[in-house]
Amino acid sequence: EKSHKISDNINHRINGRLQWNINEKNKLILQPRVTVQNNSRNDTIDAVTGVESSLTTLVPISKLNNRQDENGDALNASLEIDYMHAFEKPGRSIAIEFIPSFRNKGGINNLANNLLLESSSSAVLTDQIISSTSGNLSYSTEIEFTEMIDSINGIEFEYQSDFNQNSSERLNEFYDFSDYYLDTLLSNRYINGYYRHALGAQYQYKMGKWRMDVGAYGQIAGLDGDQSFPYPEIIQREFFNVLPRASIRYGDHRSSHFRLFYRTNTNAPD
């Protein structure tokens, strides 16, 4: 048996941060992130199976020749935008965060397998081309408004919004004598979207080194999907949740401190 493997993995990353202090009450921060990736791999296997007729002679039973080539590319890009504004009244502020992002990945896998049986002079041939692509377009938004009632008590209102649009396709084509044909049982094509809106409020208490926060959020989320292969299917779901949270803190980060958190959340289906 002889085998030969070659693989390459190339990555490029760009991260940036731009902060603009517009004035003493307004601030804008931009954080772009870009990742580009390329992967390639080549595997070769040549093997002979047989029996020894003598110390130096091998009688072949079968011969195997296997070739596999893979090539894929990926692109991830996002831009985090943060804006903060402080009002004239002390303790009153608003913060807005918006993050659009884009991901795309694709590749081709060529598989050629040839098994020759010497006894019957017959061959088992496998020749496949597998192409796969996946993409994601999403954004998330978060708005926080804080109001201090006095030096001890405060209240915060928060709105969150998320949107994800995903697409996935895997096409498996096999060679049959004269041409390539799509194998619908081993192929799939799926598009799905997920959205989430959450609105909530929490009460804040500060006294000396003590800080307490208690709040709850109402959340509505939806999932929809459209599948073409291996069989058609449409999915539509909607969810509603009430998510409480609470925390207690004592001290600060410069000295001994104590923190206790209780949080609830939901995750988007995979």
Side-chain angles (χ1 to χ4, degrees), residues 54-116:
S54 64
L55 295 178
T56 58
T57 305
L58 180 69
V59 178
I61 297 176
S62 65
K63 296 180 181 180
L64 173 68
N65 178 262
N66 187 82
R67 300 284 188 274
Q68 184 173 3
D69 297 308
E70 293 185 16
N71 195 346
D73 298 285
L75 171 64
N76 299 329
S78 66
L79 175 62
E80 181 176 339
I81 305 172
D82 295 284
Y83 172 72
M84 288 146 282
H85 172 74
F87 293 89
E88 293 295 335
K89 180 183 177 181
R92 179 185 294 176
S93 64
I94 186 170
I96 302 174
E97 181 182 78
F98 179 65
I99 307 177
S101 64
F102 170 80
R103 295 197 304 268
N104 187 68
K105 182 171 64 174
I108 296 179
N109 185 354
N110 295 318
L111 175 62
N113 184 291
N114 189 6
L115 177 62
L116 176 64

Coordinates of all heavy atoms in Angstrom, one line a residue, residues 54-116:
S54 N 5.4 -17.6 -3.1 CA 6.8 -17.9 -2.7 C 7.3 -16.8 -1.9 O 6.5 -15.8 -1.6 CB 7.7 -18.1 -3.9 OG 7.8 -16.9 -4.7
L55 N 8.5 -16.8 -1.5 CA 9.1 -15.8 -0.6 C 9.2 -14.5 -1.3 O 9.2 -13.4 -0.7 CB 10.4 -16.2 -0.1 CG 10.4 -17.4 0.9 CD1 11.9 -17.8 1.3 CD2 9.6 -17.1 2.1
T56 N 9.2 -14.5 -2.6 CA 9.4 -13.2 -3.4 C 8.3 -12.9 -4.3 O 8.4 -11.9 -5.0 CB 10.8 -13.3 -4.2 OG1 10.7 -14.4 -5.1 CG2 11.9 -13.5 -3.2
T57 N 7.3 -13.8 -4.4 CA 6.2 -13.6 -5.4 C 4.9 -13.4 -4.7 O 4.6 -14.1 -3.8 CB 6.1 -14.8 -6.4 OG1 7.4 -15.0 -7.0 CG2 5.1 -14.5 -7.4
L58 N 4.1 -12.4 -5.1 CA 2.8 -12.1 -4.6 C 1.8 -12.2 -5.7 O 1.9 -11.6 -6.8 CB 2.8 -10.6 -4.0 CG 1.4 -10.2 -3.4 CD1 1.2 -11.0 -2.1 CD2 1.4 -8.7 -3.1
V59 N 0.8 -13.1 -5.5 CA -0.3 -13.2 -6.5 C -1.4 -12.3 -6.1 O -2.0 -12.4 -5.1 CB -0.8 -14.7 -6.5 CG1 -1.9 -14.8 -7.5 CG2 0.3 -15.6 -6.8
P60 N -1.7 -11.2 -6.9 CA -2.7 -10.2 -6.6 C -4.1 -10.9 -6.6 O -4.5 -11.7 -7.4 CB -2.6 -9.2 -7.7 CG -1.2 -9.4 -8.3 CD -1.0 -10.9 -8.2
I61 N -4.9 -10.4 -5.6 CA -6.3 -10.8 -5.6 C -7.2 -9.6 -6.0 O -8.1 -9.7 -6.7 CB -6.7 -11.2 -4.1 CG1 -6.0 -12.5 -3.8 CG2 -8.2 -11.5 -4.1 CD1 -6.2 -13.0 -2.4
S62 N -6.8 -8.4 -5.5 CA -7.5 -7.2 -5.9 C -6.5 -6.0 -5.9 O -5.5 -6.0 -5.2 CB -8.7 -6.9 -4.9 OG -8.2 -6.7 -3.6
K63 N -6.9 -5.0 -6.6 CA -6.1 -3.8 -6.7 C -7.1 -2.6 -6.4 O -8.2 -2.5 -6.9 CB -5.4 -3.6 -8.0 CG -4.4 -4.6 -8.4 CD -3.8 -4.4 -9.7 CE -2.7 -5.4 -10.0 NZ -2.1 -5.2 -11.4
L64 N -6.6 -1.7 -5.6 CA -7.4 -0.5 -5.2 C -6.7 0.8 -5.6 O -5.5 0.9 -5.3 CB -7.7 -0.5 -3.7 CG -8.4 0.7 -3.1 CD1 -9.8 0.8 -3.7 CD2 -8.4 0.7 -1.6
N65 N -7.4 1.7 -6.2 CA -6.9 3.0 -6.5 C -7.9 4.0 -6.0 O -9.0 4.0 -6.5 CB -6.6 3.2 -8.0 CG -6.1 4.5 -8.4 OD1 -6.9 5.4 -8.8 ND2 -4.8 4.8 -8.2
N66 N -7.5 4.9 -5.1 CA -8.4 5.8 -4.5 C -7.8 7.2 -4.6 O -6.7 7.5 -4.2 CB -8.7 5.5 -3.0 CG -9.7 6.3 -2.4 OD1 -10.9 6.1 -2.5 ND2 -9.3 7.4 -1.7
R67 N -8.6 8.2 -5.1 CA -8.3 9.6 -5.2 C -9.3 10.5 -4.6 O -10.5 10.3 -4.9 CB -8.1 10.0 -6.7 CG -7.0 9.2 -7.4 CD -5.6 9.7 -7.0 NE -4.6 9.0 -7.9 CZ -4.1 7.8 -7.7 NH1 -4.5 7.1 -6.6 NH2 -3.1 7.4 -8.5
Q68 N -8.9 11.4 -3.8 CA -9.9 12.3 -3.2 C -9.3 13.7 -3.2 O -8.2 13.9 -2.6 CB -10.3 11.9 -1.7 CG -11.3 12.8 -1.1 CD -11.8 12.3 0.2 OE1 -11.3 11.3 0.7 NE2 -12.7 13.0 0.8
D69 N -10.0 14.7 -3.8 CA -9.5 16.1 -3.8 C -10.6 17.0 -3.2 O -11.8 16.9 -3.6 CB -9.3 16.5 -5.3 CG -8.2 15.7 -5.9 OD1 -7.1 15.7 -5.3 OD2 -8.4 15.2 -7.0
E70 N -10.2 17.8 -2.3 CA -11.1 18.8 -1.7 C -10.6 20.2 -1.8 O -9.4 20.4 -1.7 CB -11.3 18.5 -0.2 CG -12.0 17.2 0.1 CD -12.3 16.9 1.6 OE1 -12.1 17.9 2.3 OE2 -12.5 15.8 2.0
N71 N -11.5 21.1 -2.0 CA -11.1 22.5 -2.1 C -12.3 23.4 -1.6 O -13.4 23.2 -2.0 CB -10.8 22.9 -3.6 CG -10.1 24.3 -3.7 OD1 -10.0 25.0 -2.7 ND2 -9.5 24.6 -4.8
G72 N -12.0 24.2 -0.6 CA -13.1 25.0 0.0 C -12.6 26.4 0.4 O -11.4 26.7 0.6
D73 N -13.6 27.3 0.4 CA -13.3 28.7 0.7 C -14.4 29.2 1.7 O -15.5 28.7 1.7 CB -13.4 29.6 -0.5 CG -12.3 29.3 -1.5 OD1 -11.1 29.6 -1.3 OD2 -12.7 28.7 -2.6
A74 N -14.0 30.1 2.6 CA -14.9 30.7 3.6 C -14.6 32.2 3.8 O -13.5 32.6 3.7 CB -14.8 29.9 4.9
L75 N -15.7 32.9 4.0 CA -15.6 34.4 4.2 C -16.6 34.7 5.4 O -17.7 34.4 5.4 CB -16.0 35.1 3.0 CG -16.2 36.7 3.2 CD1 -14.8 37.3 3.6 CD2 -16.7 37.3 1.9
N76 N -16.0 35.3 6.4 CA -16.8 35.8 7.5 C -16.5 37.3 7.7 O -15.4 37.8 7.7 CB -16.4 35.1 8.9 CG -16.7 33.6 8.8 OD1 -17.6 33.2 8.1 ND2 -15.9 32.9 9.5
A77 N -17.6 38.1 7.8 CA -17.4 39.6 8.0 C -18.5 40.1 8.9 O -19.7 39.7 8.8 CB -17.5 40.3 6.6
S78 N -18.2 41.0 9.7 CA -19.1 41.7 10.6 C -18.6 43.1 11.0 O -17.5 43.4 10.9 CB -19.3 40.8 11.9 OG -18.1 40.9 12.7
L79 N -19.6 43.9 11.4 CA -19.3 45.3 11.8 C -20.1 45.6 13.1 O -21.3 45.6 13.0 CB -19.6 46.3 10.7 CG -19.4 47.7 11.0 CD1 -18.0 48.1 11.4 CD2 -19.9 48.6 9.9
E80 N -19.4 45.8 14.2 CA -20.1 46.2 15.4 C -20.1 47.7 15.6 O -19.1 48.3 15.5 CB -19.4 45.5 16.6 CG -20.1 45.9 17.9 CD -19.4 45.2 19.1 OE1 -18.7 44.1 18.9 OE2 -19.6 45.6 20.3
I81 N -21.3 48.2 15.7 CA -21.5 49.7 15.8 C -22.1 50.0 17.2 O -23.2 49.5 17.5 CB -22.4 50.2 14.7 CG1 -21.9 49.8 13.3 CG2 -22.6 51.7 14.8 CD1 -22.8 50.1 12.2
D82 N -21.5 50.8 18.0 CA -21.9 51.2 19.3 C -22.0 52.7 19.4 O -21.0 53.4 19.1 CB -21.0 50.6 20.4 CG -21.0 49.1 20.4 OD1 -21.9 48.5 20.9 OD2 -20.0 48.5 19.9
Y83 N -23.2 53.1 19.9 CA -23.4 54.6 20.1 C -23.9 54.8 21.5 O -24.8 54.1 22.0 CB -24.4 55.1 19.1 CG -24.8 56.6 19.4 CD1 -23.9 57.6 19.2 CD2 -26.0 56.8 19.9 CE1 -24.3 58.9 19.4 CE2 -26.4 58.1 20.2 CZ -25.5 59.2 20.0 OH -25.9 60.5 20.2
M84 N -23.3 55.7 22.2 CA -23.6 56.0 23.6 C -23.9 57.5 23.8 O -23.1 58.3 23.2 CB -22.5 55.6 24.6 CG -22.4 54.0 24.7 SD -20.7 53.5 24.9 CE -20.1 53.5 23.3
H85 N -25.0 57.8 24.4 CA -25.3 59.2 24.6 C -25.7 59.4 26.1 O -26.5 58.7 26.7 CB -26.5 59.6 23.7 CG -27.1 61.0 24.0 ND1 -26.4 62.2 23.7 CD2 -28.2 61.3 24.7 CE1 -27.1 63.2 24.1 NE2 -28.2 62.7 24.7
A86 N -25.2 60.5 26.7 CA -25.5 60.8 28.1 C -26.3 62.1 28.1 O -25.9 63.1 27.4 CB -24.2 61.0 28.9
F87 N -27.5 62.1 28.7 CA -28.4 63.3 28.7 C -27.9 64.3 29.8 O -27.0 64.0 30.5 CB -29.8 62.8 29.1 CG -30.5 62.0 28.0 CD1 -30.3 60.6 28.0 CD2 -31.2 62.6 27.0 CE1 -30.9 59.8 27.0 CE2 -31.8 61.8 26.0 CZ -31.6 60.5 26.0
E88 N -28.5 65.4 29.8 CA -28.1 66.5 30.7 C -28.4 66.1 32.1 O -27.6 66.4 33.0 CB -28.9 67.8 30.4 CG -28.6 68.4 29.0 CD -27.1 68.9 29.0 OE1 -26.6 69.2 30.1 OE2 -26.6 69.0 27.9
K89 N -29.5 65.3 32.4 CA -29.8 64.9 33.7 C -28.8 63.8 34.1 O -28.6 62.8 33.4 CB -31.2 64.3 33.8 CG -31.6 63.8 35.2 CD -33.0 63.2 35.2 CE -33.3 62.6 36.6 NZ -34.6 62.0 36.6
P90 N -28.1 63.9 35.2 CA -27.2 62.9 35.7 C -27.9 61.5 35.8 O -29.0 61.4 36.4 CB -26.7 63.4 37.0 CG -26.9 64.8 37.0 CD -28.2 65.0 36.2
G91 N -27.2 60.4 35.4 CA -27.8 59.1 35.5 C -28.7 58.7 34.4 O -29.1 57.5 34.3
R92 N -29.0 59.6 33.4 CA -29.9 59.2 32.3 C -29.0 59.1 31.1 O -28.3 60.0 30.7 CB -30.9 60.3 32.1 CG -31.9 60.0 30.9 CD -32.8 61.1 30.6 NE -33.8 61.3 31.7 CZ -34.6 62.3 31.8 NH1 -34.7 63.2 30.8 NH2 -35.5 62.4 32.8
S93 N -29.1 57.9 30.4 CA -28.3 57.6 29.3 C -29.0 56.6 28.4 O -29.9 55.9 28.8 CB -26.9 57.0 29.7 OG -27.1 55.8 30.4
I94 N -28.5 56.5 27.1 CA -29.0 55.6 26.2 C -27.8 55.0 25.4 O -26.8 55.7 25.1 CB -30.0 56.2 25.2 CG1 -30.6 55.1 24.3 CG2 -29.4 57.3 24.4 CD1 -31.8 55.6 23.5
A95 N -27.8 53.7 25.2 CA -26.8 53.0 24.4 C -27.4 52.1 23.3 O -28.4 51.4 23.6 CB -25.9 52.1 25.4
I96 N -26.9 52.2 22.1 CA -27.4 51.5 21.0 C -26.3 50.7 20.4 O -25.2 51.2 20.1 CB -28.0 52.4 19.9 CG1 -29.1 53.3 20.6 CG2 -28.5 51.7 18.7 CD1 -29.7 54.4 19.6
E97 N -26.6 49.4 20.2 CA -25.6 48.5 19.5 C -26.3 47.8 18.3 O -27.4 47.3 18.4 CB -25.1 47.5 20.5 CG -24.1 46.5 19.9 CD -23.6 45.4 20.9 OE1 -24.4 44.5 21.1 OE2 -22.5 45.6 21.5
F98 N -25.6 47.8 17.2 CA -26.1 47.2 16.0 C -24.9 46.4 15.3 O -23.8 47.0 15.1 CB -26.6 48.2 15.0 CG -27.1 47.7 13.7 CD1 -28.2 46.8 13.7 CD2 -26.5 48.0 12.5 CE1 -28.7 46.3 12.5 CE2 -27.0 47.5 11.3 CZ -28.1 46.6 11.3
I99 N -25.2 45.1 15.1 CA -24.1 44.2 14.5 C -24.7 43.5 13.3 O -25.4 42.5 13.5 CB -23.6 43.2 15.6 CG1 -23.2 44.0 16.8 CG2 -22.4 42.4 15.0 CD1 -22.7 43.0 18.0
P100 N -24.4 43.9 12.1 CA -24.7 43.1 10.9 C -23.5 42.2 10.6 O -22.3 42.5 10.9 CB -24.8 44.1 9.8 CG -24.0 45.3 10.2 CD -23.9 45.3 11.7
S101 N -23.8 41.0 10.2 CA -22.7 40.0 9.9 C -23.1 39.2 8.7 O -24.3 39.0 8.3 CB -22.4 39.1 11.1 OG -23.6 38.3 11.4
F102 N -22.1 38.6 8.0 CA -22.3 37.8 6.8 C -21.2 36.7 6.9 O -20.1 36.9 7.2 CB -22.0 38.7 5.6 CG -22.0 37.9 4.3 CD1 -23.1 37.4 3.7 CD2 -20.7 37.6 3.7 CE1 -23.0 36.7 2.5 CE2 -20.7 36.8 2.5 CZ -21.8 36.4 1.9
R103 N -21.7 35.5 6.6 CA -20.8 34.3 6.5 C -21.2 33.5 5.2 O -22.3 33.3 4.9 CB -21.0 33.4 7.7 CG -20.6 34.0 9.0 CD -20.3 33.0 10.1 NE -21.5 32.1 10.3 CZ -22.4 32.4 11.2 NH1 -22.4 33.5 11.9 NH2 -23.5 31.6 11.4
N104 N -20.1 33.0 4.5 CA -20.3 32.2 3.4 C -19.2 31.2 3.3 O -18.0 31.5 3.5 CB -20.3 33.1 2.1 CG -20.7 32.3 0.9 OD1 -21.9 31.8 0.7 ND2 -19.8 32.1 0.0
K105 N -19.6 29.9 3.0 CA -18.6 28.9 2.9 C -19.0 27.9 1.7 O -20.2 27.6 1.5 CB -18.6 28.1 4.2 CG -17.6 27.0 4.2 CD -17.4 26.4 5.6 CE -18.7 25.7 6.1 NZ -18.5 25.0 7.4
G106 N -18.1 27.5 1.0 CA -18.4 26.6 -0.2 C -17.2 25.7 -0.5 O -16.0 26.1 -0.1
G107 N -17.4 24.6 -1.1 CA -16.4 23.7 -1.4 C -16.8 22.6 -2.4 O -18.0 22.3 -2.6
I108 N -15.8 21.9 -3.0 CA -16.1 20.8 -3.9 C -15.2 19.6 -3.5 O -14.0 19.8 -3.2 CB -15.7 21.2 -5.4 CG1 -16.7 22.3 -5.8 CG2 -15.9 20.0 -6.3 CD1 -16.5 22.8 -7.2
N109 N -15.8 18.5 -3.4 CA -15.0 17.2 -3.1 C -15.2 16.2 -4.2 O -16.3 15.8 -4.6 CB -15.6 16.7 -1.8 CG -14.9 15.5 -1.3 OD1 -14.0 15.0 -1.9 ND2 -15.2 15.0 -0.1
N110 N -14.1 15.9 -4.8 CA -14.0 14.9 -5.9 C -13.5 13.6 -5.3 O -12.4 13.5 -4.8 CB -13.1 15.3 -7.0 CG -13.7 16.6 -7.7 OD1 -14.9 16.7 -8.0 ND2 -12.8 17.5 -8.1
L111 N -14.3 12.5 -5.5 CA -13.9 11.2 -5.0 C -13.9 10.2 -6.2 O -15.0 10.0 -6.8 CB -14.9 10.7 -3.9 CG -14.7 9.3 -3.4 CD1 -13.3 9.2 -2.7 CD2 -15.7 9.0 -2.4
A112 N -12.8 9.5 -6.4 CA -12.7 8.5 -7.4 C -12.1 7.2 -6.8 O -11.0 7.3 -6.2 CB -11.8 9.0 -8.6
N113 N -12.8 6.1 -6.9 CA -12.4 4.9 -6.2 C -12.6 3.8 -7.3 O -13.7 3.5 -7.8 CB -13.3 4.6 -5.0 CG -12.8 3.4 -4.2 OD1 -13.0 2.3 -4.7 ND2 -12.3 3.6 -3.1
N114 N -11.5 3.0 -7.5 CA -11.5 2.0 -8.5 C -11.0 0.7 -7.8 O -9.8 0.6 -7.4 CB -10.6 2.3 -9.7 CG -10.8 1.3 -10.8 OD1 -11.6 0.4 -10.8 ND2 -10.0 1.5 -11.9
L115 N -11.8 -0.3 -7.7 CA -11.4 -1.6 -7.1 C -11.5 -2.7 -8.2 O -12.6 -3.0 -8.8 CB -12.4 -2.0 -6.0 CG -12.1 -3.3 -5.3 CD1 -10.8 -3.4 -4.7 CD2 -13.2 -3.6 -4.3
L116 N -10.4 -3.3 -8.5 CA -10.3 -4.3 -9.6 C -10.1 -5.7 -8.9 O -9.1 -5.9 -8.2 CB -9.1 -4.0 -10.5 CG -8.8 -5.1 -11.6 CD1 -10.0 -5.2 -12.6 CD2 -7.6 -4.7 -12.4

